[in-house]
Amino acid sequence: MSHGKYGNFLAQYPSSGKLTAYSFAEIWEHYDSNNSGFIDEDGLDLFFKDLLCTMTDDRHVTDEMVSDMKSCFMEAYDDAGDGKIAMSELANILRTDENFLLLFHREEQLVSSVDLMRVWQKYDTDGTKYISKSQLENFIADLLQLHGKTDIPKAKLREYTQGMLTIFDKNDDGQLSLTEMARLLSIKPQDNIILQAEQSFKNLSMREKKAEFNRIFDYYDKSQTNAIEGEELDAFVKDLLEKDNADTSPQQIDLFRKCILQNCDKNRDGKIQKTELELCLGIYTDM
């Protein structure tokens, strides 16, 4: 995407009034230059330099002035204290459409692969293995409804949808892949419980390994049926695949799920019980 001829990227946006959803998304995409989901490193310094130039209408700002402003703003707005700016924190710095900002302030955070697959199966209604623009619009409408916003005009919903696509649709195909949807829901690869277990198993005693195994089973058995099934099984398969490949597609999940059930589902009920999970994870004996 071309960002125009401006040396100061923020200069193309009005200094008064609120940013539209699309403008906020453009600004985020520009300064999150490494696609980390945060404004950090060089993007952070550039953002504060541009912001200072915009606020003072002065192109001759010094590094010291930028550093002072950065320290002041980070102390006030870096809620996580991690030296980076998250989307919700940027929204506190730049005045933006309040309803669009609600999409980044979900009261119930989705933190697991099971949550991701549950959302995915709900909104991928046509089974294309992608979330289309209209399906994303439905997801956004439902999120806003959770905040009591039931009267959002259709044009605004389309604007919010385009803003989300600008931020998260990294290959510009007008839809969201599973990996892109995970980023939207703030589900991070490092939260993969299988990857965590792989890194810790070698240093655990047999008793500790058993406890860790039980934790893994309970993590996926969200429905507490003593079996991993449905979107729980898809989430387990996704995490197994992402142990070696961070960019996993629903097609790969479908194929690998069939392989796992063929080899580990001994009672052929289409689910994975605890003893079957032991067999399944036993394939990865180097964990």
Side-chain angles (χ1 to χ4, degrees), residues 121-148:
Q121 292 185 11
K122 178 178 179 180
Y123 292 98
D124 180 25
T125 52
D126 53 6
T128 62
K129 312 303 182 185
Y130 290 93
I131 299 297
S132 68
K133 183 179 288 189
S134 61
Q135 291 165 345
L136 180 59
E137 186 175 314
N138 292 336
F139 169 73
I140 289 171
D142 288 349
L143 269 185
L144 290 171
Q145 195 166 30
L146 290 176
H147 289 278

Side-chain angles (χ1 to χ4, degrees), residues 4 10 14 22-23 25 28 35 47 51 87 113 150 152 156 162 175 179 188 194 197 199 208 210 216 222 232 234 246:
L10 292 178
Y22 186 66
S23 295
W28 177 265
N35 294 328
F47 170 71
L51 184 62
M87 286 185 200
S113 294
T150 58
I152 305 296
K156 273 293 178 185
Q162 189 56 52
Q175 55 192 357
T179 301
K188 304 175 181 63
I194 299 296
Q199 294 168 346
E208 289 170 331
K210 185 67 175 177
I216 291 172
K222 297 291 187 186
E232 300 167 347
D234 285 345

Side-chain angles (χ1 to χ4, degrees), residues 266-277:
K266 295 306 180 183
N267 62 359
R268 297 292 182 251
D269 62 353
K271 309 173 186 178
I272 296 293
Q273 276 79 26
K274 187 171 285 190
T275 54
E276 294 169 338
L277 182 65

Side-chain angles (χ1 to χ4, degrees), residues 4-145:
K5 62 182 180 180
Y6 299 92
N8 174 0
F9 185 74
L10 292 178
Q12 63 186 294
Y13 301 98
S15 56
S16 60
K18 295 178 181 177
L19 290 169
T20 65
Y22 186 66
S23 295
F24 178 86
E26 281 191 319
I27 290 170
W28 177 265
E29 185 197 27
H30 179 73
Y31 292 105
D32 178 22
S33 54
N34 58 0
N35 294 328
S36 66
F38 295 92
I39 299 177
D40 54 14
E41 300 175 355
D42 294 339
L44 202 58
D45 291 331
L46 181 60
F47 170 71
F48 282 112
K49 180 177 181 179
D50 288 354
L51 184 62
L52 183 58
C53 288
T54 301
M55 293 174 67
T56 62
D57 197 25
D58 183 1
R59 296 180 181 272
H60 304 288
V61 300
T62 65
D63 290 344
E64 184 178 2
M65 291 165 64
V66 173
S67 179
D68 287 345
M69 183 184 193
K70 177 180 173 181
S71 297
C72 180
F73 270 74
M74 294 300 285
E75 183 176 350
Y77 295 106
D78 182 16
D79 297 330
D82 56 5
K84 301 179 286 189
I85 295 179
M87 286 185 200
S88 58
E89 293 166 344
L90 179 65
N92 290 328
I93 297 174
L94 303 176
R95 295 187 65 205
T96 309
D97 184 320
E98 289 92 342
N99 288 327
F100 185 62
L101 297 186
L102 288 175
L103 302 176
F104 304 106
H105 291 277
R106 295 183 291 273
E107 293 181 5
E108 183 178 343
Q109 292 295 315
L110 305 178
V111 296
S112 75
S113 294
V114 178
D115 295 322
L116 169 62
M117 297 312 301
R118 191 169 290 147
V119 169
W120 185 266
Q121 292 185 11
K122 178 178 179 180
Y123 292 98
D124 180 25
T125 52
D126 53 6
T128 62
K129 312 303 182 185
Y130 290 93
I131 299 297
S132 68
K133 183 179 288 189
S134 61
Q135 291 165 345
L136 180 59
E137 186 175 314
N138 292 336
F139 169 73
I140 289 171
D142 288 349
L143 269 185
L144 290 171
Q145 195 166 30

Side-chain angles (χ1 to χ4, degrees), residues 194-259:
I194 299 296
L195 185 59
Q196 294 172 6
E198 180 187 47
Q199 294 168 346
S200 65
F201 258 42
K202 293 177 182 178
N203 299 318
L204 298 179
S205 65
M206 288 303 298
R207 182 175 181 178
E208 289 170 331
K209 287 181 180 179
K210 185 67 175 177
E212 182 69 359
F213 170 80
N214 289 333
R215 185 175 78 90
I216 291 172
F217 185 84
D218 292 342
Y219 175 88
Y220 292 107
D221 182 22
K222 297 291 187 186
S223 57
Q224 298 182 335
T225 60
N226 293 317
I228 299 173
E229 56 187 310
E231 66 264 11
E232 300 167 347
L233 182 55
D234 285 345
F236 170 68
V237 173
K238 171 185 172 294
D239 287 347
L240 270 182
L241 285 170
E242 287 187 348
K243 188 174 74 71
D244 300 311
N245 179 17
D247 194 5
T248 301
S249 70
Q251 292 90 338
Q252 290 172 308
I253 292 173
D254 287 346
L255 180 62
F256 198 45
R257 185 202 321 109
K258 291 176 184 176
C259 292

Side-chain angles (χ1 to χ4, degrees), residues 152-170:
I152 305 296
K154 196 74 174 172
K156 273 293 178 185
L157 283 176
R158 286 195 292 268
E159 179 189 323
Y160 299 157
T161 302
Q162 189 56 52
M164 284 295 203
L165 286 172
T166 298
I167 295 172
F168 296 105
D169 177 22
K170 292 305 179 184

